């Protein structure tokens, strides 16, 4: 809005949770749900005078989210393919005693690979492969442990996703001989009972949602499941309310977590449809809320920006998921907790992080990315963030995970090579940015056109250096010019003496050809479509350094970055720069 006052983003320590109500039930159903929660078996509640039903599946689910054919083909050839890294299936320790990388652990123990296997060929060819892997897994994990945490196979997140994948892809694992089929069905039923008791011990909010989705799916597709379904539906809606903010963005601010939550609910909806039921209106409302924030982080080719540990997920994968959701909507515009401002100007797209990192209890791969931006033109990435911390353990080495979460791995300003928010191990976030102020305006231009102006500031360096970082971005509405200014402003009444080192980094897209100008104050940037852009600095010499960018499959690509660095007075300073399309 033209001339709108500054809008203060909530601090990341004060996030408002979404408010959802569980499905409305009659008195009888409420009593059944309460009794099941207290431990009364579903068979007793469903048929008090009858005999226990035989364990079987009540319906076949139509999976509407396609898998990765390349990964599925690799499985048929004897390898798990995760973010470009191949692991022989025969060498995997399914018991979890010999720990493998986190991405491989998740693929193996969540059985998400079943979706890829299904995508690469007919069921008759995939079923023997799936049954061989499942047989090895069952041999290593014959019974659930007393409680979660006994290895990656039995955390709540992997168990919930595994149960749902077994149910959704049942034809792949239940097509063989009778003895194996009965053994698998018995383990499915036992896993569901384990989740009933252990779901409240989930490792994080997304894992709890996965656990509840598995419980509801089992309630829909296993006999005597009505009490379990009623119990699971109430727990799922409560967990979803604690997972997302009131604008639909997950509180981890991770586009990967956003996709994962959406995919779980779409698969659960498929389970409802398989039994000729409709999902609750509250669950459908959550699906509708999850899509606009996800779309807000897409570039012109539909692929994702690299934020909070995520990588540049391919547009085809994002598009397949959104189509499967059935939601037709525009990208999020009313930004609150999600915190990513988006400008679309003709063929250019700008994404700007204007919020604190997630709270520690929500952080999956929390990144110190406040006031970083990405820019693309005609679907080609011009300025990026490195991304990919969550893919560490594929071709991205695990040891790089913390570095990829650092402020310097994002296109923004750093002071004294320090992070604006502390980066801790295991995805955690420490002290730093707690407040971000942001103002968005539309400005008239001299030639009759307009431009969008974003101004934001954060306090991440205030405690250490008594300086506030403010960034102003002005993007012309024809998408051909981005003017930027980074300011360091004294945050106390009395400025400190001395100087501190600063660096402003602009990580370049993988296909950008760059050459520094002879005067050392700029660079020429050539994109694959033949367009030529000029970068100019009013803040000092522009240097060219190596960088890294994680692509749509979670694989590292060598890239370059433009860096402006030097010393700035503790009294503050300002640094202007320009990115302009020349042809």
């Amino acid at each position: 809005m033209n001339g709108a006052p500054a809008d203060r983003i909530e601090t990341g320590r004060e996030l408002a949770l979404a408010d959802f109500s569980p499905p409305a039930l009659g008195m009888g159903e409420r009593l059944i749900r309460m009794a099941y929660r207290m431990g009364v078996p579903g068979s007793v509640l469903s048929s008090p005078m009858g005999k226990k039903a035989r364990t079987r599946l009540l319906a076949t689910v139509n999976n509407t989210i396609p898998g990765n054919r390349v990964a599925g083909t690799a499985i048929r050839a004897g390898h798990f393919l995760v973010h470009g890294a191949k692991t022989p299936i025969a060498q995997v320790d399914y018991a979890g005693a010999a720990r493998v990388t986190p991405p491989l652990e998740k693929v193996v123990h969540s059985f998400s690979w079943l979706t890829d296997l299904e995508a690469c060929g007919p069921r008759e060819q995939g079923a023997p492969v799936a049954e061989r892997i499942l047989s090895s897994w069952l041999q290593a994990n014959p019974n659930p442990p007393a409680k979660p945490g006994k290895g990656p196979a039995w955390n709540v997140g992997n168990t919930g996703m595994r149960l749902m994948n077994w149910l959704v892809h049942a034809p792949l694992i239940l097509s063989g001989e009778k003895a194996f089929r009965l053994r698998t069905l018995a383990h499915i039923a036992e896993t569901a009972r384990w989740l009933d008791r252990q779901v409240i011990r989930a490792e994080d909010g997304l894992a709890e949602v996965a656990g509840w989705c598995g419980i509801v799916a089992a309630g829909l597709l296993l006999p005597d499941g009505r009490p379990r379904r009623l119990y699971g539906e109430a727990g799922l809606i409560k967990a979803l309310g604690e997972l997302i903010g009131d604008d639909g963005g997950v509180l981890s601010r991770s586009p990967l977590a956003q996709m994962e939550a959406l995919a779980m609910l779409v698969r659960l909806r498929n389970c409802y449809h398989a039994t000729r039921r409709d999902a609750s209106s509250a669950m459908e409302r959550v699906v509708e809320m999850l899509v606009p924030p996800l779309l807000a982080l897409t570039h012109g080719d539909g692929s994702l920006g690299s934020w909070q540990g995520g990588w540049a997920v391919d547009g085809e994968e994002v598009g397949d998921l959104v189509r499967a959701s059935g939601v037709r909507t525009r990208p999020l515009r009313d930004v609150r907790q999600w915190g990513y401002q988006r400008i679309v100007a003709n063929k250019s797209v700008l994404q700007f992080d204007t919020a604190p990192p997630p709270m520690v209890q929500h952080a999956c791969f929390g990144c110190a990315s406040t006031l970083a931006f990405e820019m693309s033109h005609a679907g080609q990435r011009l300025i990026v963030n490195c991304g990919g911390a969550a893919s560490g353990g594929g071709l991205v080495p695990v040891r790089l995970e913390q570095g990829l979460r650092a402020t310097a791995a994002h296109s923004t300003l750093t002071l004294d090579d320090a992070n604006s928010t502390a980066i801790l191990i295991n995805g955690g976030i420490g002290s730093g940015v707690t407040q971000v102020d942001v103002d968005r305006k539309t400005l008239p231009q001299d030639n009759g056109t307009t431009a969008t102006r974003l101004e934001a500031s954060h306090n991440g360096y205030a405690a250490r250096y008594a300086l506030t970082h403010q960034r102003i971005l002005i993007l012309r509405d024809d998408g051909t010019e981005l003017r930027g200014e980074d300011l360091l402003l004294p945050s106390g009444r009395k400025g400190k003496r001395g100087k501190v080192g600063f660096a402003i980094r602009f990580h370049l897209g993988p296909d950008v050809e760059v050459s520094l100008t002879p005067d050392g104050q700029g660079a020429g940037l050539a994109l694959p479509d033949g367009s030529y852009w000029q970068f100019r600095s009013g803040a000092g010499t522009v240097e060219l350094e190596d960088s890294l960018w994680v692509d749509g499959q979670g694989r590292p690509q060598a890239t370059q970055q433009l860096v402006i660095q030097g010393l700035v007075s503790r009294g503050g300073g300002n640094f202007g720069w320009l990115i302009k399309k020349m042809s």
Side-chain angles (χ1 to χ4, degrees), residues 377 380 525-533 581-583:
H377 175 75
Q380 303 161 102
L525 309 174
L527 295 181
D529 66 352
S531 63
Y532 184 79
W533 297 69
K581 186 174 183 286
M582 306 303 293
S583 63

Side-chain angles (χ1 to χ4, degrees), residues 111 134 162-170 173 187-188 191:
F111 277 68
L134 175 58
R162 176 169 68 248
L163 179 58
M164 177 173 289
N165 282 320
W166 281 347
L167 294 168
V168 169
H169 300 288
I173 60 174
H187 198 91
I188 287 174
T191 300

Side-chain angles (χ1 to χ4, degrees), residues 9 12 38 51-52 69 82 122 127 140 188 195 210 237 291 319 326 346 354 372 400 420 466 487 524 555:
I9 294 294
M38 294 173 64
K51 63 179 182 179
K52 185 177 179 180
R69 291 185 179 183
V82 181
I188 287 174
L195 271 177
I237 293 304
V291 176
N346 197 6
T354 57
L400 291 184
S420 57
L487 300 94
R555 303 168 301 192

Side-chain angles (χ1 to χ4, degrees), residues 204-352:
D204 57 40
L206 190 62
E208 184 175 353
V209 168
W212 286 115
C213 282
I215 289 171
V216 176
L220 289 164
L221 296 167
L222 295 180
D224 298 327
R226 182 176 173 228
R228 174 178 281 133
R229 174 176 60 82
L230 296 174
Y231 165 67
E233 287 173 337
L236 175 61
I237 293 304
K238 181 176 182 294
L240 287 170
E242 295 173 350
L243 180 73
I244 69 175
D246 59 5
D247 56 4
V250 295
L251 298 187
S252 67
R253 303 191 66 232
S254 164
L256 294 182
Q258 193 85 6
M259 289 186 68
E260 191 170 323
L262 181 58
M264 286 191 290
L265 295 183
V266 169
R267 288 193 172 96
L268 183 57
R269 179 205 279 160
N270 293 338
C271 295
Y272 275 99
H273 291 172
T275 57
R276 299 183 180 181
R277 288 184 175 90
D278 291 326
S280 69
S281 58
M283 192 183 108
E284 293 291 356
R285 173 62 180 145
V286 175
V287 172
E288 293 172 0
M289 291 177 66
L290 286 171
V291 176
L294 181 64
L295 294 178
L297 293 185
T298 57
H299 286 282
D301 60 353
S303 61
L304 288 180
S306 302
W307 301 102
Q308 293 300 320
W311 54 87
V313 177
D314 288 341
E316 182 178 358
E317 184 177 347
V318 178
D320 286 341
L321 178 57
V322 172
R323 281 189 291 274
S325 76
V327 177
R328 294 185 177 183
T329 186
R330 296 178 182 272
L332 179 70
R333 289 188 58 84
D334 185 11
V335 179
R336 294 187 289 275
Q337 282 83 37
W338 192 233
Y340 298 104
Q341 293 285 339
R342 170 189 173 92
I343 304 174
V344 179
N346 197 6
K347 295 181 179 181
S348 295
V349 175
L350 178 74
Q351 299 173 8
F352 188 25

Side-chain angles (χ1 to χ4, degrees), residues 462-476:
R464 285 167 287 178
Y465 305 107
L467 291 170
T468 295
H469 176 206
Q470 182 178 24
R471 169 165 273 185
I472 300 172
L473 301 177
I474 302 175
L475 180 63
R476 282 177 38 169

Side-chain angles (χ1 to χ4, degrees), residues 344-416:
V344 179
N346 197 6
K347 295 181 179 181
S348 295
V349 175
L350 178 74
Q351 299 173 8
F352 188 25
D353 184 355
T354 57
M359 291 184 287
V360 63
Q361 64 265 38
H362 301 304
C364 297
F365 291 90
C367 295
S369 59
T370 309
L371 300 197
F373 78 99
E374 288 199 350
M375 182 180 180
S376 64
H377 175 75
Q380 303 161 102
R381 291 171 189 253
L382 188 60
I383 306 296
V384 299
N385 301 308
C386 295
S391 69
L395 291 183
V396 175
V398 174
R399 65 180 181 274
L400 291 184
E401 179 254 333
Q402 278 193 274
L404 293 173
R405 296 165 52 211
T407 303
H410 298 80
S411 293
T412 187
L413 175 145
T414 60
L415 281 180
D416 200 26

